[in-house]
Amino acid sequence: MFRLIKTLNRIALIKATVAALLVIVVVFAGSRNLQNYDAALIGYLFGTVFAVFGIAYRYSVWLQRPPTRLYWRRSWEFLLSKDFVPYATRSLKLFFRNILFQRFIYPRGKTRWIGHFLLATGCLIAFAVTIPLTFGWIHFTLDPDSDTTYIANFFGFPVSTFQLGSPMAFAAFHALVWCSVLVTIGAVMMMKRRMTNGGLIATQTFDGDWLPLILLIAISVTGLGISYDYTFLQGRTHQFMAVIHAITVILFLIWMPFGKFFHIFQRLAQLGANIYKVEGSRRGMAKCPHTQQEFASQTHINDLKDVTKDLGFDFTLEDGRSHLDFSPEGKRSALAKAHFQARKEGGHFFG
Amino acid sequence: MPNTKYDQQMEFFVDMQRCIGCHACEMACAECETNGQESMIHIHYVDRASTVQTTVQVCMHCEDPACANVCPADAITKDEFGVVHTANSSRCIGCSNCVLACPFGVPQKQEQAELMMKCNMCYDRTSAGKKPMCATVCPSQALFYGTREEIQKMRPNSTPVKKFVFGQQEVNTKVNIMMPKGSTELKIH
Ligand code: SF4
Ligand code: SF4
Protein backbone atom coordinates (compact mmCIF):
# COMPACT_ATOMS: atom_id res chain seq x y z
CA MET A 1 0.00 0.00 0.00
CA PHE A 2 2.84 2.37 0.91
CA ARG A 3 4.50 1.67 -2.42
CA LEU A 4 1.27 2.35 -4.22
CA ILE A 5 1.02 5.75 -2.55
CA LYS A 6 4.65 6.48 -3.31
CA THR A 7 4.27 5.67 -6.98
CA LEU A 8 1.18 7.86 -7.33
CA ASN A 9 1.86 10.99 -9.26
CA ARG A 10 1.41 13.95 -6.90
CA ILE A 11 0.54 16.63 -9.46
CA ALA A 12 -1.93 14.33 -11.17
CA LEU A 13 -3.44 13.40 -7.84
CA ILE A 14 -4.03 17.04 -6.93
CA LYS A 15 -5.54 17.85 -10.33
CA ALA A 16 -7.76 14.77 -10.25
CA THR A 17 -8.99 15.60 -6.75
CA VAL A 18 -9.79 19.17 -7.79
CA ALA A 19 -11.68 17.90 -10.84
CA ALA A 20 -13.70 15.43 -8.77
CA LEU A 21 -14.50 18.10 -6.16
CA LEU A 22 -15.59 20.47 -8.92
CA VAL A 23 -18.07 17.87 -10.12
CA ILE A 24 -19.52 17.64 -6.63
CA VAL A 25 -19.75 21.44 -6.44
CA VAL A 26 -21.59 21.69 -9.76
CA VAL A 27 -23.94 18.94 -8.65
CA PHE A 28 -24.82 20.93 -5.52
CA ALA A 29 -25.19 24.12 -7.53
CA GLY A 30 -27.20 22.56 -10.34
CA SER A 31 -29.57 20.64 -8.10
CA ARG A 32 -30.07 23.54 -5.68
CA ASN A 33 -28.36 21.80 -2.76
CA LEU A 34 -29.72 18.42 -3.80
CA GLN A 35 -33.33 19.67 -3.53
CA ASN A 36 -33.94 18.58 -7.11
CA TYR A 37 -31.67 15.59 -7.03
CA ASP A 38 -33.17 12.30 -8.16
CA ALA A 39 -31.91 9.84 -5.55
CA ALA A 40 -32.28 6.93 -8.00
CA LEU A 41 -29.29 8.30 -9.89
CA ILE A 42 -26.87 8.38 -6.99
CA GLY A 43 -25.00 5.23 -8.12
CA TYR A 44 -24.41 6.80 -11.52
CA LEU A 45 -23.16 9.94 -9.84
CA PHE A 46 -20.57 8.01 -7.83
CA GLY A 47 -19.47 6.29 -11.04
CA THR A 48 -19.17 9.63 -12.82
CA VAL A 49 -17.17 11.25 -10.02
CA PHE A 50 -14.80 8.28 -10.09
CA ALA A 51 -14.53 8.50 -13.88
CA VAL A 52 -13.75 12.23 -13.74
CA PHE A 53 -11.10 11.58 -11.10
CA GLY A 54 -9.53 8.77 -13.14
CA ILE A 55 -9.64 10.63 -16.44
CA ALA A 56 -8.15 13.79 -14.93
CA TYR A 57 -5.43 11.70 -13.28
CA ARG A 58 -4.49 9.84 -16.41
CA TYR A 59 -4.69 12.96 -18.54
CA SER A 60 -2.38 14.78 -16.21
CA VAL A 61 0.16 11.93 -16.16
CA TRP A 62 -0.11 11.78 -19.92
CA LEU A 63 0.60 15.50 -20.26
CA GLN A 64 3.80 15.09 -18.26
CA ARG A 65 5.42 12.98 -20.99
CA PRO A 66 7.88 15.18 -22.96
CA PRO A 67 6.29 14.87 -26.43
CA THR A 68 2.76 15.35 -25.09
CA ARG A 69 3.79 18.28 -22.93
CA LEU A 70 5.40 19.91 -25.95
CA TYR A 71 2.31 19.53 -28.12
CA TRP A 72 0.11 20.78 -25.32
CA ARG A 73 2.29 23.85 -24.76
CA ARG A 74 2.71 24.63 -28.43
CA SER A 75 -0.98 24.14 -29.22
CA TRP A 76 -2.02 26.74 -26.66
CA GLU A 77 0.83 29.04 -27.59
CA PHE A 78 -0.18 29.04 -31.27
CA LEU A 79 -3.91 29.16 -30.57
CA LEU A 80 -3.67 32.06 -28.13
CA SER A 81 -1.40 34.08 -30.41
CA LYS A 82 -2.32 37.08 -32.56
CA ASP A 83 -3.80 34.54 -34.99
CA PHE A 84 -6.38 33.43 -32.47
CA VAL A 85 -9.35 34.01 -34.78
CA PRO A 86 -8.15 31.94 -37.77
CA TYR A 87 -6.82 29.15 -35.54
CA ALA A 88 -9.93 29.04 -33.38
CA THR A 89 -12.14 28.94 -36.49
CA ARG A 90 -10.00 26.20 -37.96
CA SER A 91 -10.14 24.19 -34.74
CA LEU A 92 -13.89 24.59 -34.50
CA LYS A 93 -14.31 23.33 -38.06
CA LEU A 94 -12.02 20.41 -37.36
CA PHE A 95 -13.87 19.73 -34.13
CA PHE A 96 -17.07 19.17 -36.08
CA ARG A 97 -15.38 17.32 -38.90
CA ASN A 98 -12.97 15.10 -36.99
CA ILE A 99 -14.33 14.85 -33.47
CA LEU A 100 -18.11 14.89 -33.92
CA PHE A 101 -18.15 13.30 -37.39
CA GLN A 102 -14.81 11.43 -37.21
CA ARG A 103 -14.29 12.02 -40.91
CA PHE A 104 -10.64 11.00 -40.73
CA ILE A 105 -11.85 7.43 -40.29
CA TYR A 106 -13.55 7.50 -43.70
CA PRO A 107 -10.32 7.05 -45.70
CA ARG A 108 -9.47 4.12 -43.43
CA GLY A 109 -12.67 2.36 -44.57
CA LYS A 110 -16.25 3.37 -45.38
CA THR A 111 -18.08 0.77 -43.28
CA ARG A 112 -15.56 1.31 -40.54
CA TRP A 113 -16.49 4.98 -40.51
CA ILE A 114 -20.24 4.28 -40.57
CA GLY A 115 -19.88 1.82 -37.70
CA HIS A 116 -17.75 4.17 -35.65
CA PHE A 117 -19.96 7.17 -36.42
CA LEU A 118 -23.14 5.39 -35.29
CA LEU A 119 -21.48 4.14 -32.16
CA ALA A 120 -19.87 7.47 -31.30
CA THR A 121 -23.00 9.51 -32.07
CA GLY A 122 -25.09 7.24 -29.88
CA CYS A 123 -22.58 7.60 -27.06
CA LEU A 124 -22.20 11.37 -27.39
CA ILE A 125 -25.96 12.03 -27.42
CA ALA A 126 -26.38 9.66 -24.49
CA PHE A 127 -23.69 11.56 -22.56
CA ALA A 128 -25.38 14.86 -23.42
CA VAL A 129 -28.68 13.56 -22.03
CA THR A 130 -27.51 11.60 -19.02
CA ILE A 131 -24.77 13.82 -17.61
CA PRO A 132 -27.09 16.79 -16.89
CA LEU A 133 -29.63 14.36 -15.42
CA THR A 134 -27.04 12.62 -13.25
CA PHE A 135 -25.68 15.95 -12.07
CA GLY A 136 -29.18 17.06 -11.14
CA TRP A 137 -29.01 19.98 -13.58
CA ILE A 138 -32.16 18.96 -15.37
CA HIS A 139 -35.28 17.67 -13.77
CA PHE A 140 -38.88 17.44 -14.83
CA THR A 141 -41.92 18.63 -12.89
CA LEU A 142 -45.64 18.61 -13.59
CA ASP A 143 -47.28 21.98 -14.11
CA PRO A 144 -49.41 22.53 -10.95
CA ASP A 145 -52.20 24.06 -13.06
CA SER A 146 -52.45 21.22 -15.52
CA ASP A 147 -51.76 17.55 -14.98
CA THR A 148 -50.70 16.95 -18.60
CA THR A 149 -48.05 19.63 -18.93
CA TYR A 150 -44.46 18.79 -18.16
CA ILE A 151 -41.89 21.42 -17.26
CA ALA A 152 -38.18 20.85 -17.92
CA ASN A 153 -36.05 22.70 -15.34
CA PHE A 154 -32.40 23.53 -15.84
CA PHE A 155 -30.43 24.48 -12.71
CA GLY A 156 -33.82 24.80 -11.06
CA PHE A 157 -35.16 27.30 -13.63
CA PRO A 158 -38.04 26.26 -15.90
CA VAL A 159 -36.77 26.33 -19.49
CA SER A 160 -39.46 24.60 -21.53
CA THR A 161 -42.83 22.96 -21.26
CA PHE A 162 -44.42 20.22 -23.27
CA GLN A 163 -47.62 18.22 -23.27
CA LEU A 164 -47.65 14.67 -22.09
CA GLY A 165 -48.08 12.41 -25.12
CA SER A 166 -46.85 15.08 -27.57
CA PRO A 167 -44.15 14.24 -30.15
CA MET A 168 -41.74 16.40 -28.12
CA ALA A 169 -42.42 14.34 -24.99
CA PHE A 170 -42.01 11.14 -26.97
CA ALA A 171 -38.67 12.27 -28.40
CA ALA A 172 -37.36 13.52 -25.06
CA PHE A 173 -38.33 10.45 -23.08
CA HIS A 174 -37.05 8.06 -25.74
CA ALA A 175 -33.77 9.80 -26.60
CA LEU A 176 -31.79 7.07 -24.92
CA VAL A 177 -33.69 4.40 -26.83
CA TRP A 178 -32.50 5.87 -30.14
CA CYS A 179 -28.98 6.13 -28.72
CA SER A 180 -29.06 2.47 -27.74
CA VAL A 181 -30.13 1.49 -31.24
CA LEU A 182 -27.31 3.54 -32.83
CA VAL A 183 -24.70 2.17 -30.44
CA THR A 184 -25.82 -1.42 -30.92
CA ILE A 185 -25.76 -1.22 -34.73
CA GLY A 186 -22.36 0.50 -34.66
CA ALA A 187 -20.87 -1.93 -32.17
CA VAL A 188 -22.11 -4.94 -34.15
CA MET A 189 -20.53 -3.50 -37.32
CA MET A 190 -17.24 -3.03 -35.50
CA MET A 191 -17.44 -6.55 -34.09
CA LYS A 192 -17.97 -7.98 -37.55
CA ARG A 193 -14.75 -6.28 -38.69
CA ARG A 194 -12.92 -7.78 -35.75
CA MET A 195 -14.17 -11.24 -36.65
CA THR A 196 -13.30 -11.11 -40.35
CA ASN A 197 -10.22 -8.89 -40.79
CA GLY A 198 -7.05 -11.00 -40.62
CA GLY A 199 -4.87 -8.10 -39.50
CA LEU A 200 -7.20 -7.26 -36.64
CA ILE A 201 -7.56 -10.89 -35.62
CA ALA A 202 -3.77 -11.10 -35.28
CA THR A 203 -3.32 -7.96 -33.23
CA GLN A 204 -6.50 -7.43 -31.19
CA THR A 205 -6.83 -8.15 -27.50
CA PHE A 206 -9.89 -9.08 -25.50
CA ASP A 207 -9.70 -6.29 -22.94
CA GLY A 208 -8.38 -3.69 -25.36
CA ASP A 209 -10.73 -4.23 -28.26
CA TRP A 210 -13.57 -6.64 -27.52
CA LEU A 211 -14.53 -5.70 -24.00
CA PRO A 212 -15.36 -2.07 -24.92
CA LEU A 213 -17.75 -3.26 -27.64
CA ILE A 214 -19.32 -5.89 -25.39
CA LEU A 215 -19.78 -3.30 -22.66
CA LEU A 216 -21.43 -0.82 -25.03
CA ILE A 217 -23.84 -3.47 -26.26
CA ALA A 218 -24.57 -4.55 -22.68
CA ILE A 219 -25.38 -0.96 -21.71
CA SER A 220 -27.62 -0.50 -24.74
CA VAL A 221 -29.49 -3.77 -24.37
CA THR A 222 -30.10 -3.39 -20.64
CA GLY A 223 -31.17 0.22 -21.27
CA LEU A 224 -33.63 -0.95 -23.89
CA GLY A 225 -34.80 -3.50 -21.31
CA ILE A 226 -35.95 -0.68 -19.05
CA SER A 227 -38.03 0.85 -21.87
CA TYR A 228 -39.37 -2.55 -22.83
CA ASP A 229 -40.40 -3.15 -19.24
CA TYR A 230 -42.41 0.05 -18.81
CA THR A 231 -43.86 -0.05 -22.32
CA PHE A 232 -44.96 -3.69 -22.45
CA LEU A 233 -44.66 -5.22 -18.98
CA GLN A 234 -46.22 -2.40 -16.95
CA GLY A 235 -42.99 -2.09 -14.94
CA ARG A 236 -43.18 -5.57 -13.44
CA THR A 237 -39.45 -6.20 -13.94
CA HIS A 238 -38.36 -2.63 -13.33
CA GLN A 239 -36.19 -3.38 -10.28
CA PHE A 240 -34.25 -6.06 -12.10
CA MET A 241 -33.84 -4.07 -15.32
CA ALA A 242 -32.77 -0.92 -13.48
CA VAL A 243 -30.19 -2.75 -11.41
CA ILE A 244 -28.50 -4.60 -14.26
CA HIS A 245 -28.45 -1.46 -16.38
CA ALA A 246 -26.88 0.50 -13.54
CA ILE A 247 -24.24 -2.20 -13.09
CA THR A 248 -23.20 -2.09 -16.75
CA VAL A 249 -23.10 1.72 -16.84
CA ILE A 250 -21.13 2.00 -13.62
CA LEU A 251 -18.63 -0.60 -14.88
CA PHE A 252 -18.26 1.48 -18.04
CA LEU A 253 -17.68 4.65 -16.03
CA ILE A 254 -15.14 3.08 -13.72
CA TRP A 255 -13.25 1.54 -16.62
CA MET A 256 -13.31 4.67 -18.77
CA PRO A 257 -10.00 6.16 -17.56
CA PHE A 258 -8.08 2.89 -18.00
CA GLY A 259 -9.21 1.26 -21.19
CA LYS A 260 -9.90 2.09 -24.79
CA PHE A 261 -12.47 4.79 -24.01
CA PHE A 262 -9.69 7.10 -22.92
CA HIS A 263 -9.04 7.69 -26.62
CA ILE A 264 -12.15 9.91 -26.65
CA PHE A 265 -10.18 12.44 -24.60
CA GLN A 266 -6.85 11.89 -26.32
CA ARG A 267 -8.38 12.51 -29.72
CA LEU A 268 -8.70 16.23 -29.00
CA ALA A 269 -4.92 16.45 -29.31
CA GLN A 270 -5.42 15.97 -33.06
CA LEU A 271 -6.71 19.56 -33.19
CA GLY A 272 -3.51 20.78 -31.55
CA ALA A 273 -1.35 18.73 -33.92
CA ASN A 274 -3.14 20.37 -36.83
CA ILE A 275 -2.50 23.94 -35.64
CA TYR A 276 1.10 22.95 -34.96
CA LYS A 277 1.52 21.79 -38.53
CA VAL A 278 -0.02 24.89 -40.07
CA GLU A 279 1.87 27.36 -37.90
CA GLY A 280 5.08 25.35 -38.36
CA SER A 281 4.94 25.54 -42.15
CA ARG A 282 4.21 29.27 -41.94
CA ARG A 283 7.37 29.72 -39.94
CA GLY A 284 9.52 27.93 -42.50
CA MET A 285 10.29 24.48 -43.77
CA ALA A 286 13.32 22.28 -43.17
CA LYS A 287 15.25 21.06 -46.20
CA CYS A 288 16.87 17.63 -46.23
CA PRO A 289 20.64 17.79 -46.86
CA HIS A 290 20.39 14.60 -48.92
CA THR A 291 17.26 15.01 -51.06
CA GLN A 292 17.37 18.82 -51.06
CA GLN A 293 13.59 18.76 -50.63
CA GLU A 294 11.48 20.39 -47.95
CA PHE A 295 9.99 17.68 -45.78
CA ALA A 296 8.75 19.12 -42.47
CA SER A 297 8.61 22.39 -40.63
CA GLN A 298 11.86 23.60 -39.08
CA THR A 299 9.95 24.19 -35.82
CA HIS A 300 9.01 20.52 -35.75
CA ILE A 301 12.59 19.36 -36.36
CA ASN A 302 13.97 21.72 -33.70
CA ASP A 303 11.32 20.68 -31.20
CA LEU A 304 12.03 17.02 -31.89
CA LYS A 305 15.72 17.54 -31.22
CA ASP A 306 14.76 18.85 -27.76
CA VAL A 307 12.19 16.16 -27.12
CA THR A 308 14.53 13.33 -28.11
CA LYS A 309 17.19 14.81 -25.80
CA ASP A 310 14.66 14.92 -22.94
CA LEU A 311 13.96 11.28 -23.65
CA GLY A 312 17.62 10.31 -23.53
CA PHE A 313 18.43 10.21 -27.26
CA ASP A 314 21.18 12.26 -28.85
CA PHE A 315 21.35 12.24 -32.61
CA THR A 316 23.96 15.00 -32.79
CA LEU A 317 26.61 14.28 -35.43
CA GLU A 318 30.31 14.98 -35.15
CA ASP A 319 30.07 18.02 -37.42
CA GLY A 320 27.43 19.60 -35.18
CA ARG A 321 24.48 18.74 -37.41
CA SER A 322 21.90 16.16 -36.36
CA HIS A 323 20.68 12.94 -37.88
CA LEU A 324 17.22 14.47 -37.42
CA ASP A 325 18.08 17.15 -40.01
CA PHE A 326 17.64 14.43 -42.61
CA SER A 327 14.27 13.54 -44.12
CA PRO A 328 13.10 9.93 -43.80
CA GLU A 329 14.37 9.26 -47.32
CA GLY A 330 17.64 11.00 -46.51
CA LYS A 331 18.05 8.82 -43.43
CA ARG A 332 17.46 5.63 -45.41
CA SER A 333 19.94 6.77 -48.05
CA ALA A 334 22.54 7.63 -45.41
CA LEU A 335 22.23 4.11 -44.05
CA ALA A 336 22.51 2.57 -47.53
CA LYS A 337 25.58 4.70 -48.30
CA ALA A 338 27.25 3.72 -45.03
CA HIS A 339 26.46 0.08 -45.76
CA PHE A 340 27.91 0.39 -49.26
CA GLN A 341 31.05 1.97 -47.84
CA ALA A 342 31.44 -0.79 -45.23
CA ARG A 343 31.02 -3.47 -47.88
CA LYS A 344 33.48 -1.71 -50.14
CA GLU A 345 36.05 -1.50 -47.36
CA GLY A 346 35.40 -5.15 -46.55
CA GLY A 347 36.50 -6.04 -50.08
CA HIS A 348 33.29 -7.87 -51.12
CA PHE A 349 30.03 -6.24 -52.08
CA PHE A 350 28.16 -9.51 -51.71
CA GLY A 351 29.60 -11.34 -48.74
CA MET B 1 -2.40 -10.69 -28.35
CA PRO B 2 -3.20 -14.23 -29.41
CA ASN B 3 0.31 -15.07 -30.52
CA THR B 4 1.01 -18.62 -29.65
CA LYS B 5 3.18 -19.57 -32.60
CA TYR B 6 5.70 -16.72 -32.82
CA ASP B 7 9.02 -18.45 -33.46
CA GLN B 8 11.81 -16.66 -31.64
CA GLN B 9 14.49 -18.70 -33.40
CA MET B 10 13.64 -16.94 -36.64
CA GLU B 11 15.24 -13.58 -37.35
CA PHE B 12 15.20 -10.96 -40.05
CA PHE B 13 18.40 -10.31 -42.06
CA VAL B 14 18.69 -7.40 -44.50
CA ASP B 15 21.47 -6.83 -47.03
CA MET B 16 20.69 -3.70 -49.02
CA GLN B 17 23.65 -4.25 -51.38
CA ARG B 18 21.74 -7.22 -52.71
CA CYS B 19 18.64 -5.17 -53.50
CA ILE B 20 18.06 -5.08 -57.27
CA GLY B 21 15.12 -2.68 -57.05
CA CYS B 22 12.60 -5.16 -58.46
CA HIS B 23 9.78 -4.01 -56.13
CA ALA B 24 8.56 -7.57 -55.56
CA CYS B 25 8.65 -7.00 -51.79
CA GLU B 26 6.61 -3.84 -52.21
CA MET B 27 3.85 -5.77 -53.95
CA ALA B 28 4.04 -8.55 -51.38
CA CYS B 29 3.94 -6.09 -48.50
CA ALA B 30 0.59 -4.79 -49.69
CA GLU B 31 -0.78 -8.31 -49.21
CA CYS B 32 -0.06 -8.22 -45.49
CA GLU B 33 -3.39 -8.00 -43.72
CA THR B 34 -2.13 -5.89 -40.86
CA ASN B 35 -1.61 -2.90 -43.15
CA GLY B 36 -4.74 -3.24 -45.23
CA GLN B 37 -3.36 -3.20 -48.78
CA GLU B 38 -0.91 -0.37 -48.12
CA SER B 39 2.69 -1.24 -48.82
CA MET B 40 4.93 -0.26 -45.92
CA ILE B 41 8.35 -1.22 -47.25
CA HIS B 42 10.64 1.48 -48.67
CA ILE B 43 12.58 0.94 -51.90
CA HIS B 44 14.24 3.82 -53.64
CA TYR B 45 17.35 4.95 -55.45
CA VAL B 46 20.05 6.02 -53.03
CA ASP B 47 21.43 8.84 -55.13
CA ARG B 48 19.93 8.78 -58.59
CA ALA B 49 22.37 11.29 -60.06
CA SER B 50 25.45 9.20 -59.43
CA THR B 51 24.43 5.57 -59.01
CA VAL B 52 21.74 3.05 -59.87
CA GLN B 53 21.92 1.56 -56.39
CA THR B 54 18.57 1.00 -54.74
CA THR B 55 17.97 0.41 -51.09
CA VAL B 56 15.31 -1.43 -49.16
CA GLN B 57 14.20 -0.61 -45.66
CA VAL B 58 11.92 -2.44 -43.27
CA CYS B 59 11.24 -1.45 -39.68
CA MET B 60 14.27 -2.46 -37.63
CA HIS B 61 12.20 -3.11 -34.47
CA CYS B 62 14.48 -1.16 -32.17
CA GLU B 63 15.13 -2.27 -28.61
CA ASP B 64 14.31 1.21 -27.35
CA PRO B 65 12.24 2.54 -30.24
CA ALA B 66 12.60 6.27 -30.86
CA CYS B 67 9.22 6.22 -32.62
CA ALA B 68 7.39 4.99 -29.52
CA ASN B 69 9.30 7.34 -27.24
CA VAL B 70 8.40 10.47 -29.18
CA CYS B 71 4.77 9.50 -29.73
CA PRO B 72 2.62 11.96 -27.77
CA ALA B 73 -0.38 9.63 -27.95
CA ASP B 74 1.20 6.40 -26.66
CA ALA B 75 0.11 4.81 -29.91
CA ILE B 76 3.18 2.65 -30.58
CA THR B 77 3.95 -0.37 -28.43
CA LYS B 78 6.58 -3.09 -28.37
CA ASP B 79 5.42 -6.60 -27.51
CA GLU B 80 7.15 -9.36 -25.56
CA PHE B 81 8.80 -10.69 -28.74
CA GLY B 82 10.38 -7.32 -29.49
CA VAL B 83 8.04 -6.52 -32.37
CA VAL B 84 7.28 -2.79 -32.47
CA HIS B 85 3.70 -2.48 -33.63
CA THR B 86 2.22 0.02 -36.03
CA ALA B 87 0.21 2.89 -34.52
CA ASN B 88 -2.87 1.96 -32.56
CA SER B 89 -5.45 3.56 -34.84
CA SER B 90 -7.71 4.73 -32.02
CA ARG B 91 -4.87 6.65 -30.41
CA CYS B 92 -2.67 7.98 -33.23
CA ILE B 93 -3.31 11.69 -33.82
CA GLY B 94 -1.22 11.78 -36.99
CA CYS B 95 1.35 14.23 -35.63
CA SER B 96 4.31 12.70 -37.56
CA ASN B 97 6.70 12.82 -34.60
CA CYS B 98 7.55 9.16 -35.20
CA VAL B 99 8.02 9.71 -38.94
CA LEU B 100 10.62 12.38 -38.27
CA ALA B 101 12.34 10.80 -35.26
CA CYS B 102 12.83 7.23 -36.49
CA PRO B 103 16.56 7.02 -37.27
CA PHE B 104 15.86 4.55 -40.09
CA GLY B 105 13.17 6.65 -41.80
CA VAL B 106 10.51 3.97 -41.51
CA PRO B 107 7.04 5.18 -40.39
CA GLN B 108 4.71 6.64 -43.00
CA LYS B 109 1.98 9.15 -42.40
CA GLN B 110 -1.29 8.51 -44.22
CA GLU B 111 -2.33 12.13 -44.65
CA GLN B 112 -6.01 11.56 -45.42
CA ALA B 113 -6.51 9.12 -42.59
CA GLU B 114 -4.46 11.18 -40.09
CA LEU B 115 -2.72 7.94 -39.22
CA MET B 116 0.82 6.64 -39.06
CA MET B 117 1.42 3.19 -40.45
CA LYS B 118 4.56 1.12 -40.50
CA CYS B 119 5.91 -2.38 -40.94
CA ASN B 120 5.02 -4.63 -38.01
CA MET B 121 6.91 -7.62 -39.34
CA CYS B 122 3.74 -9.06 -40.88
CA TYR B 123 2.42 -9.81 -37.43
CA ASP B 124 -0.53 -11.74 -38.85
CA ARG B 125 2.00 -14.14 -40.38
CA THR B 126 4.91 -14.17 -37.94
CA SER B 127 2.54 -14.70 -35.01
CA ALA B 128 1.35 -17.81 -36.85
CA GLY B 129 4.90 -19.09 -37.37
CA LYS B 130 5.14 -17.92 -40.99
CA LYS B 131 7.68 -15.65 -42.69
CA PRO B 132 6.98 -11.98 -43.49
CA MET B 133 5.61 -11.43 -47.01
CA CYS B 134 8.61 -9.42 -48.30
CA ALA B 135 11.18 -12.02 -47.26
CA THR B 136 9.26 -14.81 -48.96
CA VAL B 137 9.39 -13.09 -52.37
CA CYS B 138 12.78 -11.32 -52.44
CA PRO B 139 14.65 -12.98 -55.36
CA SER B 140 18.12 -11.84 -54.29
CA GLN B 141 17.78 -12.46 -50.54
CA ALA B 142 18.37 -8.82 -49.77
CA LEU B 143 15.56 -9.65 -47.33
CA PHE B 144 15.87 -12.97 -45.56
CA TYR B 145 13.92 -14.44 -42.67
CA GLY B 146 15.23 -17.58 -41.05
CA THR B 147 17.53 -18.91 -38.36
CA ARG B 148 21.09 -17.75 -37.58
CA GLU B 149 22.41 -21.15 -38.69
CA GLU B 150 20.73 -20.81 -42.07
CA ILE B 151 22.18 -17.36 -42.75
CA GLN B 152 25.62 -18.40 -41.55
CA LYS B 153 25.61 -21.28 -44.02
CA MET B 154 24.39 -19.04 -46.84
CA ARG B 155 26.71 -16.11 -46.14
CA PRO B 156 29.94 -17.42 -44.61
CA ASN B 157 31.74 -14.13 -45.35
CA SER B 158 29.21 -11.90 -43.60
CA THR B 159 28.22 -11.15 -40.03
CA PRO B 160 24.76 -10.01 -38.99
CA VAL B 161 24.91 -6.73 -37.09
CA LYS B 162 22.21 -5.15 -34.96
CA LYS B 163 24.02 -2.14 -33.56
CA PHE B 164 23.88 1.17 -35.43
CA VAL B 165 25.62 4.44 -34.69
CA PHE B 166 24.12 7.80 -35.62
CA GLY B 167 26.53 10.43 -34.33
CA GLN B 168 26.30 10.30 -30.54
CA GLN B 169 23.46 7.82 -30.58
CA GLU B 170 23.76 4.06 -30.59
CA VAL B 171 20.65 2.16 -31.64
CA ASN B 172 20.18 -1.57 -31.07
CA THR B 173 17.63 -3.44 -33.09
CA LYS B 174 15.91 -6.79 -33.45
CA VAL B 175 16.44 -6.85 -37.23
CA ASN B 176 19.97 -7.57 -38.52
CA ILE B 177 21.91 -5.99 -41.35
CA MET B 178 24.49 -8.21 -43.07
CA MET B 179 27.97 -6.69 -42.80
CA PRO B 180 31.53 -7.76 -43.71
CA LYS B 181 32.71 -10.66 -41.57
CA GLY B 182 33.81 -9.62 -38.10
CA SER B 183 31.85 -6.31 -38.04
CA THR B 184 30.16 -5.43 -34.78
CA GLU B 185 28.33 -2.28 -35.78
CA LEU B 186 27.39 -0.05 -38.67
CA LYS B 187 28.30 3.60 -38.28
CA ILE B 188 25.97 5.72 -40.38
CA HIS B 189 27.43 9.15 -39.71
S1 SF4 C 1 13.09 1.34 -37.01
FE1 SF4 C 1 11.98 3.23 -36.66
S2 SF4 C 1 9.85 2.63 -36.78
FE2 SF4 C 1 11.01 0.74 -36.48
S3 SF4 C 1 11.05 0.47 -34.25
FE3 SF4 C 1 12.90 1.61 -34.79
S4 SF4 C 1 12.30 3.76 -34.50
FE4 SF4 C 1 10.41 2.58 -34.63
S1 SF4 D 1 1.92 10.01 -35.95
FE1 SF4 D 1 0.70 8.76 -34.56
S2 SF4 D 1 2.03 7.07 -33.97
FE2 SF4 D 1 3.33 8.67 -34.85
S3 SF4 D 1 4.03 9.87 -33.12
FE3 SF4 D 1 2.20 10.89 -33.90
S4 SF4 D 1 0.51 10.02 -32.73
FE4 SF4 D 1 2.27 8.67 -32.42
Side-chain angles (χ1 to χ4, degrees), chain A residues 244-260:
Chain A
I244 54 164
H245 182 62
I247 291 173
T248 55
V249 175
I250 293 166
L251 276 179
F252 168 85
L253 289 169
I254 291 176
W255 194 53
M256 209 161 174
F258 308 105
K260 185 161 194 166

Side-chain angles (χ1 to χ4, degrees), chain A residues 58 62 65 67-68 71 98 104 107-108 112 197-199 201-205 260 263 266-267 269-270 273-274 277 290 295-296 300-301 304 307-308 311-318 323-324 326 328-329 331-340 342-343 346 349-351, chain B residues 1-2 15-18 33-34 42 44-46 53 55 57 64 66 68-74 85 89-93 95-97 99-105 109 111-115 123-124 127 155 157-158 164 166-169 177-180 186-189:
Chain A
R58 184 164 171 197
W62 182 53
R65 290 202 48 230
T68 322
Y71 264 105
N98 283 345
F104 61 94
R108 303 179 187 179
R112 184 173 176 187
N197 181 308
I201 292 170
T203 51
Q204 67 198 356
T205 58
K260 185 161 194 166
H263 83 270
Q266 282 186 312
R267 182 56 58 193
Q270 194 168 322
N274 191 282
K277 205 172 134 192
H290 177 80
F295 66 100
H300 201 170
I301 300 298
L304 266 181
V307 167
T308 46
L311 292 161
F313 290 87
D314 186 0
F315 289 108
T316 316
L317 306 180
E318 278 150 22
H323 185 54
L324 300 180
F326 288 78
E329 185 181 332
K331 291 185 179 110
R332 297 191 296 265
S333 297
L335 179 80
K337 288 206 298 207
H339 187 244
F340 173 82
R343 281 294 198 195
F349 283 112
F350 307 106
Chain B
M1 290 177 195
D15 190 345
M16 35 278 282
Q17 293 316 306
R18 291 187 161 265
E33 288 189 277
T34 49
H42 299 273
H44 57 88
Y45 289 102
V46 174
Q53 188 195 345
T55 186
Q57 187 71 58
D64 184 14
N69 274 284
V70 299
C71 175
D74 305 329
H85 287 268
S89 59
S90 68
R91 291 203 186 151
C92 175
I93 54 165
C95 72
S96 294
N97 264 8
V99 176
L100 300 172
C102 165
F104 299 95
K109 162 95 184 284
E111 287 297 337
Q112 284 282 308
E114 295 273 8
L115 176 68
Y123 200 73
D124 55 331
S127 64
R155 307 266 176 266
N157 296 320
S158 294
F164 303 90
F166 303 90
Q168 304 287 314
Q169 187 61 44
I177 288 190
M178 299 306 287
M179 290 282 287
L186 172 56
K187 187 167 168 22
I188 286 90
H189 302 280

Side-chain angles (χ1 to χ4, degrees), chain B residues 151-170:
Chain B
I151 196 86
Q152 240 147 35
K153 233 184 250 165
M154 272 170 62
R155 307 266 176 266
N157 296 320
S158 294
T159 306
V161 158
K162 38 169 78 177
K163 180 170 146 192
F164 303 90
V165 178
F166 303 90
Q168 304 287 314
Q169 187 61 44
E170 180 185 305

